[in-house]
Amino acid sequence: MTHGRSALADARPLPVWWEGRDPGAVSEPLQGTAQAELLIVGGGFTGLWAAIQAVEEDPGRSVMVIEAQHVAAGASGRNGGFVSPSLTHGLAHGHAHWPDEMPELLRLGHQNLLEIEEFLAKEQVAADLRLCGKTMFATRPHEVDALRESHRLHQRYDEETVLLDADQARAEVHSPTYLGGLTVAAGGLVDPVPLALGLRDAALSRGVVLHEQTTLRQIGRDGTGLRCLTDRGVVRAEQVLLATNAFRPPLRRIRAHVLPVWDHVLATEPLTAEQVGRIGWGADQGLTDAGNQFHYYRRTSDDRIVWGGYDAIYYFGNRTDAEREQRDESHQLLARQFRETFPQLADVAFTHRWAGMIDTTSRFTPVFGTAFGGRLGYAVGYTGLGVASSRFGARVALDLLAGRDTERTGLQMVRHRSVPFPPEPLRWPAVQMTRRALAREDETGRRGLLLRTMDRFGVGFNS
């Protein structure tokens, strides 16, 4: 059996989605001075969806995207590829915060996912989108009751779920750790890098101008527009949309609401048919644990297993430098937990190890807003659930920039911001205290005083 450091000896420090693909830039950096009616900062899902939707609603509009590295260099090219219709970080979390608006939020979320599916089919984006649902597994006795309560809540909102007892859960996927499960019909899986590159190509085909390897340094007023200073030159824009997510934004008010959390991931070598047979998993859906600190895992089109989550790490001072990605302690922990979940796969090697940054807010849902008299808009803070909801977030930001009063901008989630995080040096210990409290709840099933207090103020994790 392979454990610890030796299990990762041959694992490449690369997201598996980039295997066989060139992660380099396809566009030239900005040079000198340029102009745009709309400048979008960030070449991930939010920025690309915003660019596409902006030119579709106004084909004559000049839209430019700048990206500090290359398209999908951040979370958009590093996530697990889970696609959820949820706009509220899960039904339970949305019900706890906005019960009166949940029917509308559910409808908008399902509509958003349907429109993504239709767009990818029309554009022939080969991102292997599969709306196969997901299954959550209980690995502790108290989580069985939590899944039963979640099942009741889904039924209340006419969301299709199937509750599994221990035997049914282990028949679905063969793991000795499972005590029960809940299969949710909505949502599914996608290959995130082909999705991002397909969106990039769709934006370029619509006339969007892209400048990669171009970092925004400063934004200031410039007459009736904005002057955006980059490391390569200057863009004068009538409007700006920030889609920076976990990376440091050039707007101070956003920094108080978003902090970067590093999420670590492993991928195995492709499994043989015999190895797949050892674990079942015939439905090929995405899987997660039911705890606060949870794993997410899924099979890829070539039958690797992508296994990530659990050990999310925040570094003092909002550190986002790339050397934080390879954390042996986190990757070794993931390897051990994989072997515990699937001891029958002890002969399967890990081939890739990486991490990505989650843009976390205190309420686990995005923050939206404008600045500079409505000339700048932003949508950030998807907290790990942005693969699909980033398209909705982009739409909200465009509505805000246009001053449109829509059903999206009328949502409480859009109109009211999350509680800000404290500044350093208080931020780091506050995060660590919360992590320990969540871990205790996972072990005991009891939500302690700190978490209950946070819940009372609209802060905390309920999904």
Side-chain angles (χ1 to χ4, degrees):
M1 186 177 293
T2 304
H3 287 292
R5 187 177 301 275
S6 61
L8 305 174
D10 298 322
R12 298 182 61 195
L14 177 77
V16 71
W17 314 114
W18 286 106
E19 184 65 43
R21 295 184 173 90
D22 181 5
V26 300
S27 62
E28 294 296 323
L30 177 71
Q31 297 294 339
T33 301
Q35 292 187 334
E37 291 177 84
L38 174 64
L39 173 67
I40 297 170
V41 183
F45 289 142
T46 302
L48 296 171
W49 279 121
I52 291 167
Q53 293 179 106
V55 294
E56 284 189 338
E57 71 179 21
D58 183 0
R61 191 178 192 181
S62 64
V63 177
M64 178 185 295
V65 176
I66 60 172
E67 161 59 43
Q69 300 179 57
H70 59 80
V71 163
S76 296
R78 296 174 171 273
N79 62 83
F82 280 65
V83 178
S84 171
S86 178
L87 305 176
T88 61
H89 211 275
L91 179 57
H93 195 70
H95 175 75
H97 284 272
W98 306 286
D100 295 340
E101 292 185 346
M102 276 311 298
E104 183 179 9
L105 286 162
L106 287 167
R107 176 180 58 80
L108 289 171
H110 284 293
Q111 177 183 325
N112 179 61
L113 186 53
L114 175 63
E115 290 172 355
I116 290 174
E117 181 184 24
E118 292 173 344
F119 181 89
L120 298 187
K122 183 184 71 173
E123 296 292 317
Q124 298 183 327
V125 176
D128 195 26
L129 175 66
R130 292 179 284 123
L131 298 183
C132 52
K134 73 171 184 179
T135 301
M136 295 177 285
F137 290 109
T139 60
R140 301 178 179 92
H142 64 81
E143 292 173 356
V144 175
D145 293 333
L147 289 184
R148 190 175 295 112
E149 179 62 30
S150 179
H151 177 57
R152 286 194 289 264
L153 185 62
H154 278 80
Q155 289 182 316
R156 174 176 173 179
Y157 286 102
D158 294 322
E159 295 286 297
E160 183 181 351
T161 56
V162 177
L163 192 64
L164 309 174
D165 62 23
D167 290 340
Q168 292 169 323
R170 293 176 185 179
E172 185 82 9
V173 182
H174 310 330
S175 171
T177 66
Y178 297 160
L179 303 179
L182 181 69
T183 296
V184 180
L189 301 168
V190 72
D191 288 359
V193 167
L195 171 59
L197 300 185
L199 295 180
R200 176 199 67 191
D201 294 344
L204 293 175
S205 71
R206 287 161 170 77
V208 173
V209 175
L210 172 65
H211 290 296
E212 294 161 290
Q213 299 177 313
T214 302
T215 302
L216 179 65
R217 299 296 192 200
Q218 190 178 42
I219 299 177
R221 296 181 184 274
D222 183 33
T224 60
L226 297 173
R227 181 180 184 273
C228 303
L229 176 65
T230 79
D231 60 341
R232 303 280 188 164
V234 174
V235 181
R236 289 185 167 86
E238 294 179 13
Q239 294 181 321
V240 173
L241 192 154
L242 291 182
T244 49
N245 293 317
F247 291 96
R248 180 180 174 86
L251 195 65
R252 186 179 299 274
R253 71 181 64 176
I254 299 178
R255 297 175 203 163
H257 292 271
V258 177
L259 62 79
V261 175
W262 287 90
D263 178 61
H264 297 82
V265 198
L266 298 174
T268 71
E269 63 186 338
L271 273 61
T272 65
E274 187 274 331
Q275 288 169 329
V276 172
R278 297 178 200 169
I279 57 174
W281 205 343
D284 201 18
Q285 77 276 40
L287 310 178
T288 71
D289 303 334
N292 294 314
Q293 291 182 292
F294 66 95
H295 303 97
Y296 55 86
Y297 41 119
R298 45 120 3 135
R299 287 162 57 188
T300 65
S301 58
D302 60 350
D303 272 332
R304 300 174 187 269
I305 295 178
V306 171
W307 172 268
Y310 192 83
D311 196 30
I313 302 298
Y314 170 73
Y315 291 101
F316 183 89
N318 288 13
R319 295 290 297 275
T320 61
D321 39 304
E323 56 263 32
R324 304 289 170 178
E325 177 182 348
Q326 295 299 324
R327 187 175 189 266
D328 283 350
E329 183 180 352
S330 292
H331 285 128
Q332 290 169 25
L333 176 63
L334 283 173
R336 291 195 300 271
Q337 292 168 333
F338 178 88
R339 305 300 188 198
E340 292 165 0
T341 302
F342 296 124
Q344 64 270 50
L345 296 182
D347 57 336
V348 173
F350 296 104
T351 57
H352 297 76
R353 52 183 287 175
W354 73 95
M357 285 189 297
I358 296 173
D359 51 336
T360 302
T361 70
S362 65
R363 72 180 184 198
F364 278 56
T365 55
V367 290
F368 308 93
T370 61
F372 291 101
R375 297 181 182 91
L376 181 146
Y378 55 87
V380 295
Y382 298 96
T383 315
L385 230 65
V387 174
S389 63
S390 54
R391 180 183 180 273
F392 179 84
R395 181 71 269 167
V396 169
L398 290 171
D399 285 347
L400 292 174
L401 279 173
R404 287 189 289 258
D405 184 12
T406 68
E407 61 179 344
R408 292 176 291 267
T409 60
L411 293 168
Q412 294 179 49
M413 182 177 70
V414 174
R415 291 189 290 110
H416 304 296
R417 293 182 188 167
S418 59
V419 175
F421 291 106
E424 297 289 20
L426 300 177
R427 179 173 293 196
W428 188 87
V431 172
Q432 305 314 309
M433 289 174 59
T434 303
R435 287 189 70 212
R436 287 193 292 269
L438 291 169
R440 283 194 299 272
E441 183 186 19
D442 282 341
E443 291 297 327
T444 65
R446 295 189 295 273
R447 201 159 178 86
L449 177 61
L450 174 61
L451 296 181
R452 294 198 306 271
T453 302
M454 293 168 64
D455 292 341
R456 196 170 300 119
F457 288 93
V459 179
F461 186 31
N462 297 292
S463 59

